[in-house]
Amino acid sequence: MALAIASSALSSFPTREVPWKFSPGLRVTTCMLGRGSTRVGAGKGVSSVCEPLPPDRPLWFPGSSPPEWLDGRFLPGDFGFDPLGLGSDPELLKWFAQAELMHGRWAMLAVAGILIPEWAERLGFLENFSWFEAGEREYFADPTTLFVVQLALMGWVEGRRWADMLNPGSVSIEPKLPHKKIPQADVGYPGGLFFDPIMWGRGSPEPVMVLRTKEIKNGRLAMLAFVGFLFQALYTGKDPIENLMDHIADPGHVNIFSAFTSQY
């Protein structure tokens, strides 16, 4: 049920697209960092320079007016949605953008970590697996040890990410090789050999921003899906795949409205 709800909810969001000069029939998502920006050609590292969006860019609500701080020049996936004005402070806006990006990435990992083991159990590779009760299982170490190790590792990683936000590029782990220029990465997009081995995030602005927009949109979908998984587990006591099968078998009675009627 959550899969169907999340898919229908976010697939209706408009995409911000402009024609891509290398293929007239293809439209891609782009943005711009500032008026004085210059274009970055292919092979010159991670691109942080993007084409400005047209004044009539698609918005989260057709016909609405976006706030002045969401003008489509800075953020991938910017559809002008900020009804509470939380991003009016430029420094907070940078933080919120990074927070959304990180939460989206964790949510995508979480959704994969829920669906893959549940599916593996149905194929016979796992026994008695339940993502909702995974914390109660016995692992190679006791829960306290796992918590302390996770706290230390994540604290180290988050500390380096915070340092990179304060001083971009200061914590780069790109190996220094002779006659090889280290690409300048954007905050939140470290790139390089370790985080971008296929070099998808390098080159001209258009494909870079297409990938970044796809990532943030899939991250938003994953966050919504995870909330749906949690709600289903609390309400039905079933895993998301089983709930999806129930919804497909009887969509008229097994859906989100079932939560407000009698439990099936």
Side-chain angles (χ1 to χ4, degrees):
M1 184 167 62
L3 290 174
I5 295 170
S7 177
S8 61
L10 288 189
S11 62
S12 61
F13 283 6
T15 57
R16 301 165 30 187
E17 300 174 331
V18 296
W20 190 16
K21 65 178 181 179
F22 300 111
S23 178
L26 179 63
R27 301 180 67 83
V28 298
T29 305
T30 58
C31 73
M32 186 181 71
L33 280 181
R35 295 180 181 273
S37 301
T38 56
R39 296 182 60 83
V40 175
K44 293 188 179 180
V46 177
S47 174
S48 60
V49 183
C50 314
E51 298 272 348
L53 291 170
D56 58 344
R57 64 188 176 103
L59 301 174
W60 72 278
F61 189 81
S64 62
S65 298
E68 60 182 7
W69 53 88
L70 296 179
D71 56 7
R73 298 186 301 153
F74 296 96
L75 305 175
D78 173 12
F79 297 106
F81 181 80
D82 189 11
L84 300 180
L86 300 178
S88 57
D89 186 328
E91 293 302 319
L92 285 179
L93 181 59
K94 294 178 183 179
W95 170 257
F96 288 146
Q98 290 299 309
E100 181 187 35
L101 182 62
M102 292 298 108
H103 280 83
R105 288 171 176 172
W106 278 113
M108 287 188 282
L109 287 174
V111 169
I114 291 172
L115 296 179
I116 293 175
E118 295 285 0
W119 190 261
E121 181 190 26
R122 284 165 170 75
L123 297 178
F125 295 104
L126 296 176
E127 295 182 0
N128 301 322
F129 177 82
S130 171
W131 78 270
F132 195 70
E133 301 173 352
E136 301 176 0
R137 298 174 67 94
E138 293 185 3
Y139 297 94
F140 59 89
D142 61 273
T144 302
T145 301
L146 291 174
F147 173 76
V148 172
V149 172
Q150 181 179 358
L151 185 65
L153 292 177
M154 292 189 65
W156 177 75
V157 171
E158 286 298 298
R160 289 177 64 85
R161 189 168 69 86
W162 175 251
D164 188 54
M165 290 182 63
L166 297 179
N167 185 15
S170 61
V171 295
S172 174
I173 58 174
E174 180 75 8
K176 296 182 180 180
L177 302 175
H179 310 293
K180 182 180 184 297
K181 183 179 180 180
I182 298 178
Q184 180 64 38
D186 294 338
V187 175
Y189 301 92
L193 178 63
F194 296 100
F195 295 98
D196 188 18
I198 310 179
M199 296 187 294
W200 282 358
R202 303 181 186 183
S204 57
E206 292 87 353
V208 171
M209 291 310 299
V210 167
L211 293 175
R212 291 185 182 186
T213 300
K214 287 180 178 179
E215 179 188 32
I216 197 64
K217 290 174 70 176
N218 279 281
R220 292 167 179 169
L221 175 61
M223 288 188 282
L224 181 60
F226 180 79
V227 172
F229 292 169
L230 180 61
F231 171 79
Q232 289 174 335
L234 293 172
Y235 179 72
T236 69
K238 300 179 181 180
D239 62 75
I241 296 179
E242 187 175 2
N243 278 301
L244 177 61
M245 295 298 102
D246 292 342
H247 172 71
I248 294 176
D250 187 11
H253 296 88
V254 183
N255 49 57
I256 190 173
F257 300 106
S258 304
F260 305 101
T261 58
S262 60
Q263 182 171 348
Y264 63 90

